[in-house]
Amino acid sequence: MINDQAPAAPSVHGAAPSVTGSAAARFAAGLLVLACAGVTGLFAPLLVMASDNCFEGDARTICTPGGQQLVGTLPVAAAFVAALLAVVGMSRGGPVGRGCLLAAPCLLVLSWVVSYAVAGA
């Protein structure tokens, strides 16, 4: 016996938000941050060469061993931390991923600003 009075199955709507766009954007932003971290880690320590024109008794910060150490190591450390933040940002979604992807370039810019300030002062 066929029951024509059976309720129809509820319809399924394909209105789920697209995850592909946000994942692709996170990946692209992460790759860009990784590239900037690589450039920072390779080239920013070369600012130590600003101490080439130092002479005996020069009071500039770049002419002190501490200033040279700061300009040499700060960008490398910042690049390493920024690369870690970029990888976390690419792999995690939501506010944690966005926060990591926003913090990484800020850290790189801060390391460049401090290095230029010490090298140019």
Side-chain angles (χ1 to χ4, degrees):
M1 183 166 171
I2 299 174
N3 186 358
D4 291 332
Q5 301 294 329
S11 62
V12 177
H13 298 288
S18 173
V19 178
T20 309
S22 63
R26 273 196 332 265
F27 186 73
L31 286 179
L32 183 64
V33 170
L34 283 174
C36 291
V39 168
T40 298
L42 288 174
F43 296 114
L46 296 177
L47 289 172
V48 172
M49 290 191 300
S51 67
D52 285 348
N53 62 357
C54 291
F55 55 88
E56 185 77 27
D58 199 343
R60 293 180 297 162
T61 309
I62 191 63
C63 296
T64 64
Q68 292 176 1
Q69 190 81 12
L70 179 69
V71 171
T73 57
L74 179 68
V76 175
F80 180 74
V81 173
L84 287 177
L85 287 171
V87 170
V88 170
M90 286 191 296
S91 63
R92 300 272 315 249
V96 172
R98 283 190 301 270
C100 288
L101 285 175
L102 288 174
C106 293
L107 182 64
L108 293 174
V109 167
L110 182 66
S111 73
W112 276 100
V113 167
V114 169
S115 294
Y116 269 123
V118 171

